[in-house]
Amino acid sequence: MKIAVLTGGGDCPGLNGAIKWVTKTALDPALERKRSIRFEVLGVREGWKGLVEVNPDDPESCAEYLLPLNEEVVRTWDRYGGTNIGTSRTNPFNPKNDRSDRLMENISRLGIDIIVAIGGEDTLGVAYKLYKRGVKTVGIPKTIDGDLLGTDYSLGFDSAVNVIMEEIDRLRTTAGSHNRIFVVETMGRHAGWLALHGGECSGAYIILIPEYPFDMNRVCDLLLERKGREVQYSIVVVSEGVKPAGEQEFYKDDKIDDFGHHSLGGIAAYIAETIEKKTGFETRYVMLSHLQRGGSPSARDRLMARWYGIAAVDTILNEDFGRMVSFSQGEITTVPLKEVVDKLKIVDVEKYYDSERYNGKRSIL
Ligand code: F6P
């Protein structure tokens, strides 16, 4: 049985660990002994792009896009961030350039029996469409945005929150020395999880999230309230997808990707400039940008990558296709892909956000 594993969408720490554990578990000699099943594992380079563009008749093209995986190849992978098999934002079902027939044909001509897709809503959306066309697919959740439904944890989130926390720790010393306000922009697209958790664990004074359009005057009033108190500086964390009330999100440029997403970013500059103008406080801004996806995986991401990789092979053995492995109420389980695509898990403002203080809620139970 040939398993093809691929990573799609934005890279992040934890992907390599998941690939390693899919490979190690599938190729475990005990599996062959106990269940008389022999797997072969193939890493597909550059996500769905690799499976669409590979030419099964051309050995050079196969060598470019397909990497046979074994225990020796993946041995050290779990320590490293990024994805060693590459990724892309290619959408084979893009209505403007539908290449799904070619994808189906390649899957069949390459003799691929099962696809393990590691990714967020976009990548798993493709896996679900393939499943509906009869391809045996299993999903592993990954996104630093934390916005995937059907799971309490997606790979990459914890490592990204740690980057935010560490960078804010660094900023505090310079912010304090200069009595400055720092506006820190996080990623997260339309979900405020990264900003909220990153801001909460680093003690940010203000946190702005896309789920609650903010009032610039309120931000300035909150900062002015602090004037003359013992604290000489403030950290304002803003998610890239935030909107001033009644206005639009900030786009980096006019480009739209294969899944129809704009590139968000740049709101921190506007907020910093407005704060300085309205309050007179010296203000600087920092966009953490792709630093949040860099570095090596946190302990949590290494552990979850291992568990998800193992669970993906269990799901294959149980012939539970069309499902995503997931973490729910402290347990590893699976959910139908159908339930995790086409919608995002965003912050429940009522439950988690203090819309007066623009921060995490101070009542939990
Ligand atoms: O979805 C992950 C993410 O990092 C978002 O938070 C961000 O908006 C986007 O990807 C950036 O994408 P790219 O790497 O294509 O610039």
Side-chain angles (χ1 to χ4, degrees):
M1 294 255 265
K2 203 184 269 183
I3 301 176
V5 56
L6 61 85
T7 50
D11 75 321
C12 68
L15 293 170
N16 284 323
I19 301 165
K20 166 176 170 167
W21 283 99
V22 167
T23 306
K24 248 178 106 72
T25 315
L27 302 185
D28 184 354
L31 199 65
E32 201 179 332
R33 272 198 316 274
K34 285 189 206 147
R35 312 208 23 178
S36 309
I37 297 176
R38 180 180 241 165
F39 288 115
E40 187 187 330
V41 185
L42 213 52
V44 177
R45 295 193 199 268
E46 295 181 51
W48 297 118
K49 179 180 172 209
L51 270 190
V52 170
E53 302 216 337
V54 65
N55 176 358
D57 295 329
D58 175 1
E60 257 182 48
S61 168
C62 289
E64 187 184 344
Y65 287 115
L66 306 170
L67 175 69
L69 298 176
N70 61 42
E71 187 141 355
E72 194 43 43
V73 173
V74 299
R75 190 172 56 82
T76 60
W77 284 23
D78 47 349
R79 301 170 211 165
Y80 303 106
T83 164
N84 289 354
I85 53 175
T87 185
S88 68
R89 294 199 187 277
T90 297
N91 177 9
F93 292 90
N94 182 350
K96 290 187 190 137
N97 177 25
D98 193 321
R99 292 189 288 169
S100 56
D101 287 341
R102 177 165 173 153
L103 173 62
M104 288 295 292
E105 199 187 311
N106 279 349
I107 293 168
S108 139
R109 286 176 64 204
L110 290 165
I112 292 169
D113 299 293
I114 298 149
I115 296 180
V116 176
I118 314 175
E121 197 252 334
D122 294 333
T123 305
L124 299 183
V126 173
Y128 178 55
K129 286 185 177 140
L130 286 178
Y131 173 67
K132 284 199 291 184
R133 289 213 193 169
V135 180
K136 294 174 175 168
T137 56
V138 173
I140 296 184
K142 171 280 329 181
T143 166
I144 67 159
D145 302 339
D147 58 359
L148 200 52
L149 281 168
T151 183
D152 295 344
Y153 192 72
S154 294
L155 296 176
F157 183 75
D158 186 63
S159 301
V161 170
N162 274 289
V163 171
I164 296 170
M165 184 188 70
E166 284 162 17
E167 296 303 333
I168 290 178
D169 280 352
R170 275 186 197 101
L171 279 176
R172 281 184 185 283
T173 57
T174 173
S177 308
H178 287 264
N179 294 349
R180 280 173 176 159
I181 295 183
F182 264 90
V183 179
V184 181
E185 182 175 309
T186 71
M187 283 185 164
R189 282 225 171 107
H190 308 292
W193 298 111
L194 265 185
L196 186 61
H197 287 206
E200 282 184 319
C201 71
S202 51
Y205 178 57
I206 290 175
I207 303 170
L208 302 178
I209 59 172
E211 292 83 351
Y212 193 84
F214 66 96
D215 176 355
M216 205 56 236
N217 291 326
R218 178 72 190 142
V219 171
C220 294
D221 287 348
L222 284 165
L223 290 165
L224 285 164
E225 270 178 26
R226 271 195 141 182
K227 200 174 176 180
R229 298 221 207 125
E230 72 284 5
V231 189
Q232 303 299 324
Y233 70 93
S234 292
I235 302 288
V236 179
V237 173
V238 306
S239 174
E240 62 181 4
V242 297
K243 315 178 242 313
E247 288 181 45
Q248 281 303 308
E249 296 157 328
F250 277 46
Y251 297 145
K252 269 193 210 140
D253 48 43
D254 297 336
K255 289 185 205 135
I256 297 180
D257 74 14
D258 237 12
F259 287 92
H261 305 296
H262 282 276
S263 283
L264 292 165
I267 185 98
Y270 161 81
I271 294 177
E273 195 188 319
T274 315
I275 290 173
E276 198 163 272
K277 236 188 250 159
K278 288 192 182 234
T279 63
F281 295 148
E282 200 178 4
T283 308
R284 298 282 188 271
Y285 71 92
V286 171
M287 288 171 71
L288 294 179
S289 191
H290 294 79
L291 285 174
Q292 291 158 100
R293 300 216 309 248
S296 54
S298 66
R300 182 160 201 220
D301 273 318
R302 292 184 201 204
L303 193 61
M304 294 304 296
R306 177 183 173 123
W307 290 351
Y308 280 161
I310 295 171
V313 177
D314 285 341
T315 309
I316 293 170
L317 291 169
N318 295 339
E319 300 193 26
D320 257 344
F321 299 109
R323 299 182 78 85
M324 176 186 84
V325 299
S326 109
F327 187 65
S328 174
Q329 298 179 328
E331 302 274 347
I332 299 287
T333 177
T334 65
V335 288
L337 281 171
K338 187 180 195 306
E339 288 174 18
V340 308
V341 297
D342 293 336
K343 236 180 127 204
L344 294 176
K345 181 170 73 183
I346 57 170
V347 175
D348 178 344
V349 169
E350 195 63 27
K351 202 167 167 193
Y352 299 117
Y353 193 65
D354 183 335
S355 47
E356 289 289 308
R357 283 189 235 244
Y358 286 175
N359 209 308
K361 199 144 187 162
R362 288 218 205 149
S363 148
I364 285 178
L365 296 175

